[in-house]
Amino acid sequence: MKLVILDRDGTINQDRDDYIKSAAEWVPLPNALEGIARLTHAGWHVVVASNQSGLGRGLFDVVTLNAMHAKMHKMLAGVGGRIDAVFFCPHAPDQACNCRKPKPGLFEQIAKRYGMSLAGVPVVGDTARDLIAGAAVGCAPHLVLTGKAESLRGQTLPNNFPPGTQVHDHLLAFAEDLIQRHRAP
């Protein structure tokens, strides 16, 4: 199975310092939905692994989170894309869970759900913690220079990123690169 794991905030949609708290605040990044659609059309299964500490902080509830994801799914369907599943950590940082990235719990859940090793599976995010969590279970790390990573444009990656991290301008650039590299000769 061809699987890709994406972060949500800052990778697929705009991020906010005060959190995305409603479907109205969920706004896709340029090229992101098109990137997911390209992956879908090329036979990739796309899942999301996202910290959603706004739940644990009481900023929104699960019904609101589901409305955000319903909007995301509807907008993706409009461009021919699909996300197969959304895995999220609902805990606040002080709750010491194993599912909050950079810990690997969400990725372990994904591996269990799909019954496969995640060795070599691309993980895409806009922060080191997204990639560290995936790298802990063998995922191949890919940074998109959107969201929190916009400030890294034109710079050398800091040492806290996993070794071998590949860098892409945005999600569509990642998708095109991945598809090109996996085309049959």
Side-chain angles (χ1 to χ4, degrees), residues 89 91-100 103:
C89 170
H91 305 107
D94 61 354
Q95 291 181 286
C97 65
N98 187 46
C99 56
R100 182 171 172 77
K103 293 187 178 174

Side-chain angles (χ1 to χ4, degrees), residues 92-153:
D94 61 354
Q95 291 181 286
C97 65
N98 187 46
C99 56
R100 182 171 172 77
K101 296 180 288 183
K103 293 187 178 174
L106 288 178
F107 292 84
E108 292 165 350
Q109 290 174 31
I110 292 166
K112 184 175 182 181
R113 167 86 63 87
Y114 286 90
M116 61 185 280
S117 164
L118 298 183
V121 169
V123 57
V124 184
D126 70 316
T127 67
R129 73 175 174 221
D130 298 325
L131 306 184
I132 291 167
V137 296
C139 290
H142 294 265
L143 178 70
V144 285
L145 298 176
T146 54
K148 290 180 174 61
E150 281 189 62
S151 62
L152 296 175
R153 286 187 184 275

Side-chain angles (χ1 to χ4, degrees), residues 6-161:
L6 306 178
D7 171 53
R8 195 191 84 172
D9 300 336
T11 302
I12 299 172
N13 59 278
Q14 294 176 3
D15 200 356
R16 295 170 53 134
D17 290 336
D18 64 342
Y19 304 93
I20 308 299
K21 301 175 295 302
S22 69
E25 292 178 355
W26 192 94
V27 178
L29 288 166
N31 303 303
L33 300 181
E34 295 80 2
I36 295 169
R38 290 285 312 273
L39 292 167
T40 301
H41 290 250
W44 291 85
H45 293 269
V46 180
V47 299
V48 169
S50 180
N51 287 347
Q52 291 297 317
S53 69
L55 286 168
R57 297 170 196 264
L59 299 175
F60 54 86
D61 58 19
V62 173
V63 171
T64 303
L65 182 65
N66 288 340
M68 291 179 221
H69 292 154
K71 179 180 180 179
M72 176 178 68
H73 290 299
K74 183 177 181 177
M75 292 181 79
L76 273 167
V79 296
R82 188 181 77 224
I83 290 176
D84 291 359
V86 178
F87 294 79
F88 63 91
C89 170
H91 305 107
D94 61 354
Q95 291 181 286
C97 65
N98 187 46
C99 56
R100 182 171 172 77
K101 296 180 288 183
K103 293 187 178 174
L106 288 178
F107 292 84
E108 292 165 350
Q109 290 174 31
I110 292 166
K112 184 175 182 181
R113 167 86 63 87
Y114 286 90
M116 61 185 280
S117 164
L118 298 183
V121 169
V123 57
V124 184
D126 70 316
T127 67
R129 73 175 174 221
D130 298 325
L131 306 184
I132 291 167
V137 296
C139 290
H142 294 265
L143 178 70
V144 285
L145 298 176
T146 54
K148 290 180 174 61
E150 281 189 62
S151 62
L152 296 175
R153 286 187 184 275
Q155 298 184 25
T156 302
L157 283 185
N159 291 335
N160 61 328
F161 282 87

